[in-house]
Amino acid sequence: MAARKAPLAPAPTSAELPVLERFYNVRAAAIRLGLTDPDNPEDTTGQRWLRNGFNRPLDGSKGRHFPGRYMARELVFSESDLIVIDEIAREETEARLRAKEQMPVSTGRSRRRKALALTGS
């Protein structure tokens, strides 16, 4: 029997082609989130925060991991990644504010005794 070739796959139409998202490097992502002054090229505010958020452990022990990816050896964030990062930041801020509003748990010891014990008097 002669070998038969598989039929050619139909060419995708423009409606079926995936739409590429816009990607931002760390500096452009910080500008897009409003963390950095776009007119000052030496302003690095927010860039370390974005890198640290991306490098958080996946188990959540240091907070939620920021989405992102490396392309051409450069960390980049898509539009949808920046939306998720904004939501994570908002949730962490609200959790921090709620924790600040709660009364601290008493250990049952007075502060004066603790201070005296530390000085050795």
Side-chain angles (χ1 to χ4, degrees), residues 22 37 47 66 80 87 107:
R22 183 171 172 98
D37 181 15
Q47 295 179 34
F66 287 178
S80 59
E87 290 171 359
T107 60

Side-chain angles (χ1 to χ4, degrees), residues 32-96:
R32 184 86 173 140
L33 288 170
L35 303 173
T36 302
D37 181 15
D39 299 329
N40 185 359
E42 305 209 357
D43 186 10
T44 60
T45 307
Q47 295 179 34
R48 177 176 284 169
W49 178 73
L50 284 170
R51 284 192 191 97
N52 289 346
F54 178 78
N55 291 326
R56 288 177 179 173
L58 295 175
D59 64 0
S61 60
K62 304 277 184 178
R64 283 182 55 193
H65 173 78
F66 287 178
R69 65 201 66 156
Y70 278 96
M71 282 201 265
R73 296 184 179 180
E74 189 171 346
L75 179 60
V76 293
F77 301 97
S78 67
E79 288 279 344
S80 59
D81 292 341
L82 295 179
I83 292 169
V84 173
I85 290 170
D86 180 55
E87 290 171 359
I88 292 170
R90 188 176 302 118
E91 289 170 5
E92 289 178 354
T93 302
E94 290 172 358
R96 218 175 4 261

